[in-house]
Amino acid sequence: MAISIQLGAILAALLIINIYFMSAKKYELIFSICIILLTFVSKEENGIISGVPYDTGGVINPSIVGYDVLIILILSLALRHGKIKSLGVFWRRAVICTWLTITIRFVIDGFGVLSNKVFDSYLMPMAYALLMIRYLDKEKAIKVVKVLYVCVLINAAVGGCEYFLGRSLLFHEYYMKAVGWYPNTYLAQKYGVSFRCTAFLGHPLTNGMYYLMGVVYLFNNEKKWNLFKIVQFAVLGFAIFATNSRGALLILSIYILFYLISNKKALKFCFLAGMGVVITTRINLQEIYNNIFARDATGSSMMVRVKVLLNFFDIPIQNVIMGMGYNNAGTIFSKYTGGANAEISYIILLMENGIAGFISWFVALSSIYNNKMCRMFNGIKYSGLVHGMLICFLMYAATSNSFADPGTLTYLLCFILALSRIGKVDTFKENSIYGNGMESKEANSRLSV
């Protein structure tokens, strides 16, 4: 395990802070800290703190947010907040299926299963979701969502600046030395390819996912569209453009289209304005596409996905059933599809976990989800927010290796799913099954929400 003096000091500080906030029952602040760590200390920056780059093989080096969730979990158990009299069905299913997924891999791969991916893609994100459900109500959850939006907006502003600067604003020297994909992204500018923003979130595809979440929040905020809100949308929209991710731009376009369809006045205005722009400027859409995606003028990036889909059934069925493990799936992709990375999250997860592990993991995730959410809460279209985020996340995952590679995006997915459970119409009834010593005053306040 990678441990440094800096990491030790940060973990000690997180322990003290979490003890204080948990004692004061400031649970929204506890999870707001998680969000801040999630959005400002990416897996790429993890190496600055731990002293070992995140992707170093053979080293257990979880993300900082992963350590923070572990601290919260330990404190919850130590303070007997985790003592449960009667488990809800979704809790049992989520915990059992998560452990089943990891157990299957342990039986097949042995101790080789222990990796950053096990902690940051499976165990800690699930713990994060269950802790959120345990401690937050809708009012506190909305506060945490607002913290997420502010963090995303700051990242978007930094990412937009990087597009013009042509390099990482804060981590250029470290990225050049320790992050495998960054030098190619930086040097590609010599061939006329624009720099793909990294901000605090690291990889451009990760940035694209978070910026989409920011757009969804903005569109589900009931505040009227004014100059300030338009500026925020412009910052987020340009940041998505600066990631140079076709998947993110496609999903952004689809989401805006659905929003306009649901708002007929806005649809008519945008249609007429768009037609006017096309007629007056005679826009060449093919030329725009080629300019935006100059990094893939040959279409090779898209062909990686196509080859994986076309050649998937050539992969031996035993590899699909049993899975290749978290470190060996690239071998089978190279042999049968020509590329070491499938670039489709669901295919990668299937090949790593096998059919049983894949199904078990998605059963665990779906156990958290609840579709009976309140429609409006504190000026936020709650159901629209959660469903919008979830749909955008799942669509984007089908276009890239976003949350299949080791990293922290699974925390975001579990965060969204937890919001659906917290925001159910009868929140108090669901939370009343726990023997948590909740004071009657606090219980009544949750009931009133």
Side-chain angles (χ1 to χ4, degrees):
M1 181 174 287
I3 296 292
S4 66
I5 296 176
Q6 295 94 321
L7 178 59
I10 289 175
L11 295 183
L14 288 174
L15 177 62
I16 294 171
I17 292 170
N18 283 315
I19 289 174
Y20 174 77
F21 286 142
M22 191 166 283
S23 301
K25 297 184 180 179
K26 299 290 185 180
Y27 303 126
E28 70 276 17
L29 296 179
I30 291 174
F31 292 99
S32 293
I33 291 173
C34 284
I35 290 298
I36 292 170
L37 294 174
L38 184 64
T39 50
F40 287 109
V41 187
S42 71
K43 71 171 188 175
E44 284 81 8
E45 286 101 60
N46 195 70
I48 298 175
I49 297 172
S50 68
V52 178
Y54 184 84
D55 294 324
T56 302
V59 179
I60 298 176
N61 186 25
S63 64
I64 304 303
V65 69
Y67 278 118
D68 190 40
V69 172
L70 181 61
I71 289 171
I72 298 170
L73 178 61
I74 292 173
L75 289 176
S76 180
L77 296 173
L79 297 173
R80 301 179 68 82
H81 289 182
K83 185 178 181 181
I84 300 171
K85 291 182 178 179
S86 176
L87 279 172
V89 173
F90 84 91
W91 278 76
R92 290 199 298 267
R93 190 184 300 128
V95 172
I96 290 172
C97 288
T98 300
W99 277 111
L100 179 60
T101 301
I102 304 303
T103 301
I104 291 172
R105 292 266 43 98
F106 181 78
V107 170
I108 297 173
D109 301 333
F111 286 99
V113 74
L114 297 177
S115 64
N116 293 344
K117 183 156 192 175
V118 167
F119 294 102
D120 278 335
S121 295
Y122 294 95
L123 296 178
M124 291 300 101
M126 183 58 67
Y128 181 49
L130 297 179
L131 286 167
M132 278 185 62
I133 296 167
R134 163 64 183 79
Y135 284 109
L136 298 181
D137 55 30
K138 288 193 288 289
E139 185 173 3
K140 292 177 180 178
I142 287 295
K143 292 179 180 178
V144 179
V145 172
K146 290 179 179 178
V147 171
L148 172 64
Y149 177 70
V150 171
C151 292
V152 169
L153 196 61
I154 293 172
N155 270 280
V158 174
C161 293
E162 289 180 347
Y163 179 82
F164 298 104
L165 185 64
R167 52 177 283 180
S168 171
L169 187 63
L170 301 167
F171 306 106
H172 175 72
E173 298 298 332
Y174 174 76
Y175 280 1
M176 288 295 289
K177 295 177 183 178
V179 179
W181 53 265
Y182 182 80
N184 289 335
T185 299
Y186 175 68
L187 296 174
Q189 295 175 94
K190 294 182 179 180
Y191 304 96
V193 179
S194 300
F195 181 76
R196 305 178 69 189
C197 71
T198 60
F200 292 94
L201 292 164
H203 198 283
L205 294 180
T206 302
N207 280 262
M209 182 71 85
Y210 280 95
Y211 300 156
L212 285 171
M213 300 300 105
V215 170
V216 173
Y217 172 84
L218 195 63
F219 277 52
N220 284 280
N221 190 326
E222 276 291 277
K223 290 183 179 179
K224 292 182 179 181
W225 283 88
N226 52 28
L227 181 59
F228 183 57
K229 194 170 181 179
I230 292 172
V231 169
Q232 292 177 62
F233 175 66
V235 171
L236 291 168
F238 183 77
I240 291 175
F241 167 78
T243 64
N244 209 335
S245 168
R246 284 164 299 188
L249 285 169
L250 175 62
I251 293 166
L252 174 65
S253 301
I254 293 172
Y255 184 78
I256 292 176
L257 178 61
F258 274 102
Y259 174 80
L260 293 175
I261 289 173
S262 65
N263 189 329
K264 294 182 179 180
K265 290 183 179 180
L267 176 62
K268 291 178 181 178
F269 173 79
C270 290
F271 177 76
L272 292 174
M275 289 297 294
V277 171
V278 171
I279 292 172
T280 56
T281 61
R282 297 180 181 180
I283 293 176
N284 186 328
L285 298 178
Q286 183 62 45
E287 183 179 352
I288 291 176
Y289 178 88
N290 291 338
N291 289 335
I292 293 176
F293 301 112
R295 66 185 175 86
D296 190 34
T298 63
S300 59
S301 178
M302 182 64 70
M303 284 306 298
V304 171
R305 284 102 169 146
V306 174
K307 285 181 180 179
V308 168
L309 294 173
L310 291 177
N311 298 317
F312 178 76
F313 292 101
D314 293 335
I315 298 174
I317 188 62
Q318 63 268 24
N319 294 131
V320 179
I321 294 174
M322 302 301 293
M324 294 295 294
Y326 300 136
N327 302 311
N328 302 316
T331 303
I332 204 76
F333 290 135
S334 297
K335 184 175 181 180
Y336 290 94
T337 68
N341 199 319
E343 297 293 348
I344 300 174
S345 291
Y346 306 111
I347 298 293
I348 298 172
L349 291 172
L350 175 61
M351 289 307 304
E352 289 181 342
N353 291 287
I355 291 177
F358 179 82
I359 293 174
S360 179
W361 174 234
F362 273 91
V363 169
L365 292 175
S366 62
S367 299
I368 304 173
Y369 171 71
N370 171 70
N371 65 344
K372 296 180 180 179
M373 288 170 275
C374 60
R375 292 188 177 182
M376 286 287 302
F377 189 77
N378 283 1
I380 302 295
K381 297 177 182 177
Y382 198 99
S383 179
L385 172 72
V386 175
H387 283 136
M389 285 184 169
L390 185 60
I391 291 170
C392 287
F393 189 104
L394 296 178
M395 288 176 62
Y396 193 49
T399 70
S400 66
N401 55 330
S402 52
F403 82 114
D405 280 357
T408 57
L409 270 177
T410 308
Y411 290 95
L412 180 60
L413 175 59
C414 288
F415 174 82
I416 298 168
L417 293 171
L419 289 178
S420 75
R421 181 65 57 175
I422 295 168
K424 65 182 298 182
V425 176
D426 189 4
T427 305
F428 175 75
K429 184 177 179 180
E430 183 70 17
N431 284 281
S432 64
I433 61 174
Y434 301 99
N436 53 23
M438 185 185 295
E439 296 177 1
S440 59
K441 183 178 180 181
E442 185 178 355
N444 290 332
S445 67
R446 295 188 67 163
L447 178 59
S448 66
V449 173

